Amino acid sequence: MIVFSGFLATTSYADNEIYVDQVGSNANIDLEQLGSNNLIGGLNAVIGTMTALDLDGVGLTLDINQIGNNNVFKGDLYSTSTTAFFEFDGDSNSLTLQVDPTNTYSADSGNYYVDVTGSSNSMTLNVGTAALADNLDLDIILNGSSNSIQSNVDVDQATHYLDIDGSSNTLQYDADGAATHYFWLDQTGSSRSFNIQQQSTQAQDWLKIISTSSNGTMCVIQSDQGTSTSC
């Protein structure tokens, strides 16, 4: 079962809004919004109050595109074996994505690709809960300045690749689990601020950073049940 609702809002808060509530396996969902001040969220959202879209099932394929400025995407995915592509082109957009925060489907075998072009965008991506998910492939490609990424991964066997080009970007990355994590950051741009933590429990982690930058700060912590430390 899948329910879509979309309309043109008459207030100044949002131009277009799409609400989604989906239950079932092997769904193929493609959403595209062109323009500024648009929303993609949950069926219970009202103008001015945003709730997350709700996608439940196994084997979901998603293609989400928001092209413009000041757009908002907010989604909860309760799914395993998900393949998802997210594209956001523009400035001052907001992306919030949670994958299986209550461990309904274990969030296993997820493949997520996020492509962002623009400045002053904010992204929050949370995948898995308490290391109860297995096998993640998460790629983030970011071109622009003054963007913010917060990525929390609670998955065994996770691969996370980030390519960040632009100045004054911030990254907070926290990876937990009981099996190997692979993290690769390729970054170009000045005045960056990065806080990167891998905290697998008695497992082998792999971390590679290539940074071409002046000014800014970078803190990297790998912990295997060792002495507590912080940036």
Side-chain angles (χ1 to χ4, degrees):
M1 178 185 72
I2 183 167
V3 177
F4 288 95
S5 176
F7 61 86
L8 177 65
T10 58
T11 72
S12 61
Y13 183 78
D15 287 346
N16 296 291
E17 305 187 13
I18 298 175
Y19 305 152
V20 183
D21 190 352
Q22 195 279 148
V23 178
S25 299
N26 301 314
N28 191 329
I29 299 172
D30 189 344
L31 305 177
E32 183 169 343
Q33 287 182 321
L34 304 176
S36 299
N37 301 307
N38 299 310
L39 305 176
I40 296 178
L43 191 64
N44 294 323
V46 297
I47 298 173
T49 301
M50 194 64 175
T51 62
L53 65 82
D54 187 355
L55 303 178
D56 302 351
V58 177
L60 300 179
T61 300
L62 308 177
D63 191 339
I64 309 295
N65 300 269
Q66 286 184 312
I67 313 300
N69 302 323
N70 301 305
N71 295 309
V72 175
F73 174 89
K74 189 172 184 179
D76 288 348
L77 275 62
Y78 297 86
S79 174
T80 188
S81 300
T82 297
T83 300
F85 173 76
F86 300 91
E87 180 182 13
F88 302 92
D89 292 349
D91 302 329
S92 303
N93 297 302
S94 176
L95 163 67
T96 303
L97 176 66
Q98 293 189 110
V99 181
D100 230 355
T102 61
N103 195 45
T104 304
Y105 289 95
S106 297
D108 290 346
S109 303
N111 190 334
Y112 303 93
Y113 189 101
V114 182
D115 188 344
V116 178
T117 301
S119 299
S120 302
N121 297 296
S122 176
M123 289 161 279
T124 301
L125 303 108
N126 299 321
V127 183
T129 304
L132 296 176
D134 293 315
N135 299 316
L136 168 70
D137 187 348
L138 173 60
D139 300 316
I140 300 176
I141 310 299
L142 171 63
N143 287 280
S145 300
S146 302
N147 296 292
S148 173
I149 301 174
Q150 181 174 331
S151 180
N152 300 300
V153 174
D154 234 327
V155 179
D156 295 341
Q157 300 287 351
T159 299
H160 196 350
Y161 172 74
L162 290 95
D163 188 336
I164 300 176
D165 291 319
S167 60
S168 302
N169 292 304
T170 64
L171 168 66
Q172 289 187 312
Y173 174 70
D174 187 354
D176 301 287
T180 302
H181 281 198
Y182 174 101
F183 178 88
W184 183 0
L185 169 63
D186 190 345
Q187 180 265 333
T188 302
S190 62
S191 303
R192 71 327 192 207
S193 177
F194 296 157
N195 185 326
I196 299 165
Q197 300 188 35
Q198 284 182 322
Q199 302 173 103
S200 297
T201 303
Q202 295 183 336
Q204 293 180 330
D205 285 333
W206 193 94
L207 189 149
K208 178 179 180 179
I209 297 174
I210 301 173
S211 179
T212 303
S213 177
S214 59
N215 301 320
T217 60
M218 181 182 298
C219 176
V220 178
I221 297 174
Q222 282 185 319
S223 176
D224 185 13
Q225 289 189 327
T227 302
S228 177
T229 187
S230 62
C231 295

